[in-house]
Amino acid sequence: MSESILVSARGLEKTFDSGETAVRALRGVDLDVSEGEFLAIVGPSGSGKTTLLNLVGALDGPTAGELSVLGLDLAKATRGERAALRRKSLGFVFQAYNLVPVLTALENVEFVLELQGIPAGRRRLEAMAVLEELDLGDLAGRRASKLSGGQQQRVAVARAVVGRPRLVLADEPTANLDSENAGILMEMMRKLRDHHGVTFVFATHDPFVMSHASRVVRIRDGRVVEEAVEAA
C-alpha cells in the first residue's frame, strides 16, 4: 500500500444482529483516504456513515471485506493491536464532546498523554502548548462543565490532536454548534491539517462541513453512491 494512503477499504461489510433480523449497515464499501485529506463522509441518518467511521477508528470490527488503517489490517488485528492504534495514531472528536466535566480544559487534554505514558511534567507542557496554539490558553484552568458548547468542542479537538495523531475522525462535530462556533472549529481543524499534516475524516450531514471538505463521499443504504472533489 502506498505510504500516502492512510486508509484502504475494499468490499467492506458490517452486519448487526438485531433480534431475529440482521441489519446490513455497510454493503461492500470501497474507500481510500490519502494523507492530508479533509474528507467528508455524507449521508442521512442510518446511511452507514457513523458505522464506517467506527470501523476506520478500530472501535468495531468488519463482518467481511478488507480494511487497512495506517498499515494495520483491522480485519485480522488483535484487540491489543487495535487499542495501540487508537492510542498512538488516531484522534477522535465526538458530537457529544465527551469531556470529563470535573476536570479543567488542560486536564482533559492532558489525559490522552497520560494514557500514552508521558511523564506528568512533559504532558502538562505539551497539553498547554496545544491549547495555546489553538487559541484556547485562556480556558486552560476552567472546568469543562463551565465551558460553552463551542468551547467544549474546541477543547475536544485539542484533546484529539495533542498526541500528534496522523488521522483524526470526527463524528458530526458541528451538530451542536451555531454557525459562528462551527466556523471557528473548522478553521482550527484546517490549521492543523495545513500546519501539521493531520488528516481529517468527518461523518456529517452538515452542508457547512461539506463546503470545507477537500472531498465528499456520499453514502446511502450502506453503499458509496457518489464521490466529488471540492474546492477546499
Side-chain angles (χ1 to χ4, degrees):
M1 183 173 61
S2 169
E3 291 183 358
S4 65
I5 302 296
L6 302 189
V7 178
S8 178
R10 294 293 179 270
L12 200 62
E13 303 262 350
K14 182 63 182 179
T15 300
F16 295 99
D17 291 325
S18 179
E20 297 180 355
T21 61
V23 178
R24 294 183 65 195
L26 295 178
R27 306 173 182 232
V29 169
D30 294 341
L31 179 70
D32 287 336
V33 180
S34 298
E35 191 166 12
E37 279 204 90
F38 220 53
L39 172 65
I41 299 172
V42 176
S45 297
S47 61
K49 61 184 186 296
T50 295
T51 298
L52 179 55
L53 208 68
N54 287 343
L55 293 184
V56 172
L59 298 171
D60 201 356
T63 304
E66 300 176 0
L67 177 60
S68 176
V69 177
L70 302 180
L72 180 65
D73 183 347
L74 291 186
K76 298 178 181 178
T78 66
R79 180 178 298 181
E81 288 171 334
R82 293 194 299 268
L85 176 70
R86 292 193 301 268
R87 185 173 63 251
K88 297 177 181 178
S89 301
L90 302 181
F92 298 88
V93 180
F94 301 99
Q95 178 179 342
Y97 317 138
N98 288 354
L99 299 180
V100 181
V102 297
L103 298 183
T104 65
L106 179 61
E107 289 166 341
N108 268 282
V109 175
E110 271 191 274
F111 183 65
V112 172
L113 300 177
E114 184 176 359
L115 293 177
Q116 293 182 348
I118 305 299
R122 179 181 153 197
R123 67 177 182 250
R124 176 144 296 212
L125 289 173
E126 292 186 6
M128 193 65 207
V130 168
L131 287 172
E132 290 177 345
E133 181 180 3
L134 298 178
D135 298 322
L136 296 169
D138 58 334
L139 302 179
R142 194 176 303 179
R143 286 189 178 185
S145 59
K146 301 298 183 182
L147 299 174
S148 69
Q151 290 169 337
Q152 288 189 55
Q153 191 63 300
R154 288 158 60 199
V155 171
V157 171
R159 179 185 60 186
V161 302
V162 68
R164 299 304 181 190
R166 295 181 65 191
L167 176 64
V168 171
L169 307 171
D171 192 5
E172 300 284 7
T174 61
N176 296 324
L177 303 181
D178 58 30
S179 58
E180 180 181 359
N181 278 298
I184 293 171
L185 182 71
M186 295 306 297
E187 189 56 37
M188 279 178 53
M189 292 191 281
R190 184 191 293 275
K191 177 181 178 182
L192 289 163
R193 190 273 304 266
D194 293 344
H195 293 181
H196 297 289
V198 180
T199 301
F200 284 86
V201 178
F202 307 93
T204 186
H205 60 265
D206 185 349
F208 183 75
V209 176
M210 298 177 217
S211 72
H212 283 72
S214 59
R215 181 162 61 109
V216 174
V217 173
R218 297 185 185 276
I219 188 169
R220 184 181 300 122
D221 298 327
R223 296 184 175 92
V224 172
V225 296
E226 181 185 1
E227 294 191 33
V229 177
E230 302 297 322

